[in-house]
Amino acid sequence: MAPVNYGIWGKPTATLDWCEENYIVTQFVAEFWNTISNWIMIIPPLLAAHLSWRKKMEFRIIASYLSVGFVGIGSLGFHCTLIYKMQLMDELPMIYGTCILLYGMLEIKSKENKMNTELTFFLFVISVFTTIMYVIVQNPLFFQWSYGILAGSLFGLTFYNCKRYNGSVPLVLLSTLSYGFGFILWNIDNNFCPQIRTARALLPEFVKPVTQLHAWWHTLAGGGTYISVLYSSHLRLKCLGHQPLLKIYYHFLPIIEKNDVVRNGTAIHKNDDNNNNNTNDKINTSKTIYANGKHLNGVTFTRMK
């Protein structure tokens, strides 16, 4: 019988071990492809949080990006080590991050920079209760049901707000399709792992990484969640009376920010300014202001070099 390879992290202590074979690529990473695929949940959201802070966006938007980044960091640690403590650092931030996104959807029409302390406390209690129960029970099904209820509530509220407040349908559909397809791959990976491993063993080495369906789940779910933050930011700015603008930074990073014009230290919304009868002061639309600007079904965007 071949000796068991535990790598530098030793025998796994996590309650879950995914379909990727352990320590196949390197002795330093338990699940190599599941680990590096977390980049999409770390680099883009943390960069977006920094840019949103520089643009003086609301804290709820910055916190939404940060929550995705923290999930990615925890997931990286979990798949790299398969240690139980790292598993908690992966799964529990998913609960906390979903609560942050739920707050944004529930308070989509609130006043700018005003916090609902009652709702914040309620979501905080949910997070603490889930944390304590999961540490006691240590059953992955408890976490999966808890996260599923919160995520399902978030999806339902997202579609409701989109219809009620005329949100960006393309962003909602793109986020849902990306996350939904990733979820399908996650289930295939869980339920048909023996068949996947058998098929993987027959493939050439350069093709095998494509069969790592949990890594695809990270990519698609992480991308879908990032897009949902873009949607939430876009709708929030619309509800505040701003004109949202989708900009592309560093040739790959989409960010939602205000498309207001500042005069004498005061922000002037486009819809207000277009009603100005003084033609000398009238501001052109974003298509003129941004020479390379385009429109995507109501979402204005431009590319930043």
Side-chain angles (χ1 to χ4, degrees), residues 196-233:
I196 293 173
R197 285 187 171 184
T198 300
R200 184 184 297 150
L202 301 175
L203 295 174
E205 288 298 325
F206 69 92
V207 180
K208 289 181 179 180
V210 182
T211 66
Q212 301 293 348
L213 300 188
H214 195 85
W216 282 111
W217 150 253
H218 286 164
T219 301
L220 293 168
T225 304
Y226 184 89
I227 296 170
S228 74
V229 178
L230 293 180
Y231 160 76
S232 177
S233 305

Side-chain angles (χ1 to χ4, degrees), residues 32-45:
F32 181 81
W33 300 107
N34 287 351
T35 298
I36 66 172
S37 59
N38 285 289
W39 76 270
I40 196 171
M41 290 188 285
I42 300 175
I43 297 176

Side-chain angles (χ1 to χ4, degrees), residues 116-155:
N116 185 330
T117 55
E118 291 81 6
L119 178 59
T120 302
F121 179 74
F122 175 71
L123 294 174
F124 175 77
V125 170
I126 290 178
S127 299
V128 172
F129 173 78
T130 305
T131 300
I132 295 174
M133 289 300 300
Y134 188 38
V135 171
I136 295 174
V137 176
Q138 295 187 11
N139 188 331
L141 288 177
F142 175 81
F143 160 76
Q144 291 169 8
W145 274 101
S146 300
Y147 175 70
I149 292 172
L150 290 173
S153 302
L154 178 61
F155 275 116

Side-chain angles (χ1 to χ4, degrees), residues 19-33:
C19 194
E20 180 179 355
E21 297 85 350
N22 298 342
Y23 297 105
I24 293 297
V25 177
T26 173
Q27 298 298 301
F28 299 95
V29 179
E31 297 176 344
F32 181 81
W33 300 107

Side-chain angles (χ1 to χ4, degrees), residues 4-305:
V4 178
N5 183 7
Y6 290 136
I8 67 167
W9 301 105
K11 185 177 180 180
T13 58
T15 60
L16 293 171
D17 193 349
W18 305 98
C19 194
E20 180 179 355
E21 297 85 350
N22 298 342
Y23 297 105
I24 293 297
V25 177
T26 173
Q27 298 298 301
F28 299 95
V29 179
E31 297 176 344
F32 181 81
W33 300 107
N34 287 351
T35 298
I36 66 172
S37 59
N38 285 289
W39 76 270
I40 196 171
M41 290 188 285
I42 300 175
I43 297 176
L46 294 184
L47 284 175
H50 174 67
L51 289 171
S52 298
W53 173 74
R54 286 178 53 189
K55 297 292 182 179
K56 301 187 185 310
M57 301 292 286
E58 279 188 292
F59 178 72
R60 67 171 69 181
I61 295 175
I62 299 172
S64 296
Y65 286 123
L66 288 175
S67 68
V68 180
F70 289 147
V71 170
I73 294 173
S75 181
L76 183 147
F78 171 37
H79 290 286
C80 179
T81 66
L82 292 180
I83 294 175
Y84 177 67
K85 291 181 179 179
M86 290 294 103
Q87 179 181 348
L88 295 180
M89 294 297 294
D90 170 28
E91 294 173 333
L92 292 177
M94 294 174 66
I95 299 292
Y96 311 151
T98 305
C99 286
I100 291 174
L101 297 180
L102 265 175
Y103 178 91
M105 282 290 101
L106 290 169
E107 288 290 292
I108 200 69
K109 287 285 289 183
S110 63
K111 293 182 179 180
E112 191 166 4
N113 294 315
K114 182 178 180 181
M115 177 178 290
N116 185 330
T117 55
E118 291 81 6
L119 178 59
T120 302
F121 179 74
F122 175 71
L123 294 174
F124 175 77
V125 170
I126 290 178
S127 299
V128 172
F129 173 78
T130 305
T131 300
I132 295 174
M133 289 300 300
Y134 188 38
V135 171
I136 295 174
V137 176
Q138 295 187 11
N139 188 331
L141 288 177
F142 175 81
F143 160 76
Q144 291 169 8
W145 274 101
S146 300
Y147 175 70
I149 292 172
L150 290 173
S153 302
L154 178 61
F155 275 116
L157 193 57
T158 296
F159 280 97
Y160 173 78
N161 282 347
C162 184
K163 182 178 181 180
R164 182 176 182 182
Y165 301 115
N166 193 27
S168 173
V169 175
L171 289 178
V172 170
L173 292 180
L174 186 58
S175 172
T176 303
L177 289 175
S178 180
Y179 196 97
F181 186 55
F183 183 66
I184 292 173
L185 295 182
W186 181 84
N187 279 281
I188 294 175
D189 193 66
N190 285 347
N191 294 295
F192 300 97
C193 181
Q195 294 86 339
I196 293 173
R197 285 187 171 184
T198 300
R200 184 184 297 150
L202 301 175
L203 295 174
E205 288 298 325
F206 69 92
V207 180
K208 289 181 179 180
V210 182
T211 66
Q212 301 293 348
L213 300 188
H214 195 85
W216 282 111
W217 150 253
H218 286 164
T219 301
L220 293 168
T225 304
Y226 184 89
I227 296 170
S228 74
V229 178
L230 293 180
Y231 160 76
S232 177
S233 305
H234 181 270
L235 185 60
R236 173 60 176 166
L237 290 178
K238 283 187 64 176
C239 290
L240 290 174
H242 299 288
Q243 186 180 45
L245 179 68
L246 178 63
K247 288 187 178 180
I248 306 297
Y249 287 87
Y250 314 121
H251 302 288
F252 80 97
L253 184 67
I255 295 289
I256 296 290
E257 58 185 56
K258 302 173 186 176
N259 192 20
D260 298 334
V261 175
V262 178
R263 291 182 184 167
N264 300 323
T266 303
I268 300 176
H269 301 168
K270 290 297 180 61
N271 55 348
D272 296 335
D273 190 76
N274 286 337
N275 295 327
N276 193 332
N277 293 324
N278 187 343
T279 57
N280 292 328
D281 292 337
K282 191 171 182 178
I283 302 172
N284 294 325
T285 63
S286 58
K287 280 188 177 180
T288 302
I289 293 175
Y290 300 97
N292 58 348
K294 298 180 182 179
H295 286 270
L296 177 63
N297 291 352
V299 181
T300 307
F301 70 94
T302 188
R303 188 177 302 276
M304 302 298 291
K305 296 181 180 180

